[in-house]
Amino acid sequence: MRSLKKLRLSPWLIWGLGAAFFFAEYYARVAPSVMAYDLMRAFSVNAFALGSLSAFFYYAYISMQIPVGMLMDKYGPHRLLTFTAVICGMGAFGFAFSTHIFFADLCRLLMGFGAAFAFVGSLKLASIWFPASRFGLMAGLTQAIGMLGAATGEGPMAVLVTHFGWQQTMMLIGIIFMILAVAIGLIVRDAPTSHPRRLVGVSKNFSLLSTLRIVLKNPQSWTNAIYAGFVYAHSAAFGELWGVSFLQHAYHVDVTTAATAIGLIFIGWGVGGPLTGFLSDFISLRKPFMYGSAILGFICLVLILYAQLPFTVVYFLLFIYGMTNTGVSIAYAVASEINPHHAAGTSMAVANMASVIVGASFQPIIGLLLVLHWSGLIVHGAPYYTAADYRSALILLPVCSALGFITAFFVKETHCQKSQS
């Protein structure tokens, strides 16, 4: 009886450790948003340089996405996730001891390289250890856990930074990565021993390049990836970097209050991701949720940025925005269905790469727009940007939602069925 219970729990434990890595990498990803002024002071830089520092994480993350998918399809997630969790930890420790912006950039690059494996590895574990009929739910749960990591990386991390400083906070993040590396190495396996045919290495009959060719030659891979990029852009640019500073200046709240409010985006993701995945699986439709995500994201962003509402209403809108931004999770589910099963990891990596590359590019672009609108005022050793500066720079984000809605028209409805060709 005990062995039967262990067998039933093991898929959740194994997938859960992969998802925990994804959870923790969001600590490193969003850290600059609550350390913005500390980092500008520590490295004597402006908003553009800060945006570039934050984006270095994504340069490695983006460039590794297709190789990650191919490596996951070929070799499996166990050893890859163990090794890259260690790399993330080393990057976090290095960042904590950085005294120059150049070295900090390199450490962000290192963290981005390791973090690139977390999401696709978690989805690959879900595709191996769970039936295909539950993949939409598992994709939503995986994304939700990452978003909860981002949520705790906002408000609670702001408290840690306030009380202990940004360097000690980064050291704590490094310790978390090292603990996860040990747990993943000891517990995670690439396939159930009772179902060896489900081993990731089913793609051993296919070369890495042939798998990539299959994905890239499919027009739907590109259309779906572009949709994911447009819809996720504002979460990456606003939620992961500039949102905290915008709320501080536009609504005159302190950094902890602003970070807690931004954290509601990711808590909304935590609720909406699994719910959207479950409902999509239940009705066997993907596209209605893709349309709804883009439309509601546009409405919420316009109200938050330009309506000057009471801050309690802003709290509510940030949560609703996060809850409905989960069309990105549906795009990942679509990615697993529009190409053959042995190419699922590569296909999901392409969609994830697009979602991150757009958001990463908008972080320094928005920083540059802030610099262009800057009056030259310095406050407490760092450049001061007004609410009007932020509103002018952030106009690009609702435009992304509108483009995402248009792109969704060209995505094929899969009816939650995997491609057989």
Side-chain angles (χ1 to χ4, degrees), residues 68-103:
V68 164
M70 296 164 67
L71 290 169
M72 289 291 174
D73 286 334
K74 191 74 174 179
Y75 301 111
H78 173 217
R79 283 173 292 181
L80 290 172
L81 290 178
T82 303
F83 177 65
T84 53
V86 172
I87 289 177
C88 281
M90 292 171 59
F93 287 134
F95 191 88
F97 290 103
S98 297
T99 57
H100 192 276
I101 188 69
F102 175 75
F103 189 68

Side-chain angles (χ1 to χ4, degrees), residues 255-287:
V255 63
T256 302
T257 302
T260 301
I262 292 297
L264 288 173
I265 294 176
F266 305 109
I267 293 173
W269 263 89
V271 175
L275 179 61
T276 302
F278 171 78
L279 291 174
S280 179
D281 288 344
F282 184 75
I283 67 173
S284 296
L285 291 172
R286 301 300 192 201
K287 290 187 66 171

Side-chain angles (χ1 to χ4, degrees), residues 13-227:
L13 177 60
I14 288 171
W15 163 81
L17 283 171
F21 182 12
F22 185 49
F23 176 96
E25 67 103 330
Y26 260 95
Y27 286 178
R29 189 187 298 205
V30 306
S33 70
V34 296
M35 303 173 179
Y37 284 100
D38 292 318
L39 295 177
M40 283 193 283
R41 282 194 297 267
F43 299 124
S44 302
V45 296
N46 61 21
F48 177 65
L50 176 66
S52 298
L53 170 64
S54 179
F56 263 90
F57 180 98
Y58 299 98
Y59 298 151
Y61 191 101
I62 292 163
S63 63
M64 284 304 299
Q65 281 308 294
I66 290 178
V68 164
M70 296 164 67
L71 290 169
M72 289 291 174
D73 286 334
K74 191 74 174 179
Y75 301 111
H78 173 217
R79 283 173 292 181
L80 290 172
L81 290 178
T82 303
F83 177 65
T84 53
V86 172
I87 289 177
C88 281
M90 292 171 59
F93 287 134
F95 191 88
F97 290 103
S98 297
T99 57
H100 192 276
I101 188 69
F102 175 75
F103 189 68
D105 287 339
L106 290 180
C107 291
R108 286 286 290 176
L109 199 71
L110 195 63
M111 286 186 279
F113 174 87
F117 290 76
F119 182 61
V120 175
S122 300
L123 290 183
K124 193 66 182 179
L125 286 171
S127 72
I128 297 165
W129 286 85
F130 292 88
S133 61
R134 296 169 73 177
F135 190 78
L137 173 61
M138 298 309 298
L141 281 172
T142 304
Q143 190 72 65
I145 287 175
M147 295 301 103
L148 291 176
T152 56
E154 294 283 358
M157 192 183 294
V159 174
L160 289 174
V161 171
T162 300
H163 286 85
F164 301 105
W166 68 271
Q167 292 171 306
Q168 288 77 8
T169 303
M170 287 304 304
M171 289 180 64
L172 176 60
I173 292 172
I175 291 169
I176 291 171
F177 279 127
M178 293 303 184
I179 293 171
L180 280 172
V182 173
I184 292 169
L186 293 176
I187 297 171
V188 169
R189 294 295 176 266
D190 284 330
T193 54
S194 58
H195 296 84
R197 68 183 184 277
R198 294 169 67 185
L199 184 63
V200 175
V202 296
S203 61
K204 287 181 179 177
N205 294 327
F206 301 87
S207 71
L208 295 177
L209 289 178
S210 67
T211 301
L212 177 61
R213 192 178 302 117
I214 289 169
V215 174
L216 296 184
K217 286 178 67 176
N218 183 352
Q220 280 296 303
S221 298
W222 293 94
T223 307
N224 184 62
I226 291 169
Y227 169 85

Side-chain angles (χ1 to χ4, degrees), residues 272-354:
L275 179 61
T276 302
F278 171 78
L279 291 174
S280 179
D281 288 344
F282 184 75
I283 67 173
S284 296
L285 291 172
R286 301 300 192 201
K287 290 187 66 171
F289 299 95
M290 299 174 81
Y291 290 132
S293 180
I295 293 169
L296 292 171
F298 177 86
I299 293 170
C300 289
L301 280 169
V302 168
L303 291 174
I304 292 165
L305 294 175
Y306 303 108
Q308 197 62 40
L309 300 164
F311 202 65
T312 51
V313 177
V314 174
Y315 271 117
F316 174 76
L317 287 172
L318 288 167
F319 176 80
I320 295 299
Y321 163 75
M323 188 173 178
T324 58
N325 193 233
T326 49
V328 183
S329 298
I330 299 300
Y332 296 140
V334 170
S336 76
E337 295 160 351
I338 56 180
N339 288 295
H341 181 67
H342 74 269
T346 304
S347 185
M348 289 183 289
V350 168
N352 191 37
M353 180 184 68

